[in-house]
């Protein structure tokens, strides 16, 4: 396995099925991508749609459907450990824009860790921010998991400047209710789509996912790209 250095200080990771760092870009932007539920190990979430987007990329895949409560093997064994690691990454890339991206399960750490480390922009697709609620996706998977961080309300309420975009499908009542509550937090914009929980796959099917992710990374308005869909 290839040993990659992150940044200019002392943080290092070993590329693996769980962690893949792509540092080749000269652009001072780091995109942190949190994998979603049931992703195969070694998979870079949405990589085919990010391949031509100019930025450094850090892909994280926990390999377990536990909403990152048990961290990501190779860098941390807990949610708080992952947060500490990414805070160090943030410091190491102090001269970079920091972006966080996540769909479904990946939306939880994109929101919670993204705001906690002061990410510039966050894009979360069909996320939960309070885990184990009735009718949620997380409640089906977390019955045997020790919860370190199950409620992002304090973090999101204290958001000082991270710009958050939420994508949600109108056809999923639970997701729509969660998104409406998320919209009350600071610096948070909710964009509704005519689909269910599968917001990113839907955008892929209508050939808008690549343009949406590119606009997000470049700091352009994504609402105009998917308006009316």
């Amino acid at each position: 396995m290839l040993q990659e250095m992150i940044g200019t200080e002392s943080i290092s990771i070993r590329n693996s099925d769980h962690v893949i760092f792509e540092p080749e870009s000269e652009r001072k932007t780091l995109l942190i991508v949190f994998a979603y539920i049931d992703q195969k190990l070694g998979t870079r979430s949405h990589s085919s749609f990010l391949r031509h987007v100019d930025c450094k990329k850090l892909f994280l895949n926990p390999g377990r459907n536990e909403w990152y409560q048990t961290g990501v093997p190779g860098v941390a064994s807990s949610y708080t450990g992952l947060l500490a690691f990414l805070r160090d990454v943030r410091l190491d890339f102090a001269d970079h824009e920091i972006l966080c991206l996540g769909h479904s399960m990946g939306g939880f750490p994109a929101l919670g860790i993204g705001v906690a480390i002061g990410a510039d922009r966050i894009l979360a697709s069909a996320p939960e921010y309070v885990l184990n609620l009735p009718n949620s996706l997380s409640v089906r998977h977390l019955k045997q998991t020790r919860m370190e961080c199950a409620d992002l309300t304090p973090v999101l309420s204290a958001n000082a400047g991270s710009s958050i975009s939420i994508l949600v499908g109108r056809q999923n009542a639970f997701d729509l209710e969660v998104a409406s509550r998320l919209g009350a937090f600071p610096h948070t914009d909710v964009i509704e789509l005519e689909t269910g929980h599968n917001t990113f796959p839907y955008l892929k099917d209508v050939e808008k996912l690549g343009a949406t992710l590119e606009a997000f990374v470049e700091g352009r308005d994504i609402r105009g790209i998917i308006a009316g869909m």
Side-chain angles (χ1 to χ4, degrees):
M1 287 184 282
L2 176 67
Q3 182 76 27
E4 294 281 9
M5 293 300 295
I6 289 187
T8 58
E9 302 299 331
S10 59
I11 302 170
S12 66
I13 60 170
R14 184 177 295 276
N15 276 356
S16 69
D17 283 342
H18 298 274
V19 184
I20 301 171
F21 180 47
E22 298 181 355
E24 291 79 15
S25 174
E26 296 296 321
R27 186 174 181 178
K28 290 187 178 297
T29 300
L30 172 64
L31 173 64
I32 304 170
V33 183
F34 297 90
Y36 53 90
I37 194 169
D38 290 334
Q39 280 259 280
K40 293 181 180 179
L41 286 178
T43 301
R44 297 166 169 86
S45 291
H46 324 300
S47 60
S48 61
F49 298 95
L50 291 166
R51 185 172 296 118
H52 303 295
V53 177
D54 182 23
C55 66
K56 299 175 182 69
K57 305 175 186 90
L58 177 60
F59 296 91
L60 301 172
N61 187 342
R64 302 172 73 174
N65 297 329
E66 295 181 334
W67 270 253
Y68 292 79
Q69 298 299 307
T70 51
V72 173
V75 296
S77 59
S78 64
Y79 182 91
T80 54
L82 182 60
L83 172 58
F85 170 76
L86 291 175
R87 277 188 170 136
D88 286 342
V89 170
R90 178 73 175 95
L91 291 173
D92 223 24
F93 284 91
D95 62 342
H96 280 53
E97 277 193 316
I98 303 296
L99 314 180
C100 291
L101 171 66
H103 167 68
S104 190
M105 182 178 76
F108 184 84
L111 288 171
I113 293 179
V115 170
I117 67 175
D120 295 275
R121 292 189 298 283
I122 299 165
L123 178 58
S125 163
E128 298 177 37
Y129 74 96
V130 180
L131 301 180
N132 281 338
L133 292 179
N135 302 315
S136 68
L137 192 58
S138 62
V139 76
R140 306 177 201 173
H141 295 273
L142 294 176
K143 294 175 182 177
Q144 306 300 321
T145 303
R146 185 177 69 84
M147 306 299 291
E148 272 206 336
C149 177
D151 187 349
L152 299 178
T153 301
V155 175
L156 297 176
S157 297
N159 180 11
S162 296
S163 177
I164 299 174
S165 296
I166 304 292
L167 300 183
V168 64
R170 296 188 186 95
Q171 297 171 14
N172 187 301
F174 177 84
D175 287 351
L176 198 60
E177 175 62 23
V178 170
S180 69
R181 294 178 182 177
L182 280 167
F185 289 112
H187 312 294
T188 302
D189 182 36
V190 175
I191 303 171
E192 297 181 9
L193 302 172
E194 200 55 59
T195 188
H197 183 75
N198 60 327
T199 44
F200 272 15
Y202 169 75
L203 288 176
K204 174 185 175 181
D205 290 343
V206 297
E207 300 183 346
K208 293 290 186 180
L209 182 57
T212 300
L213 297 181
E214 184 176 5
F216 166 66
V217 171
E218 294 183 353
R220 294 187 279 111
D221 177 40
I222 65 175
R223 183 179 286 274
I225 295 174
I226 55 181
M229 304 199 66

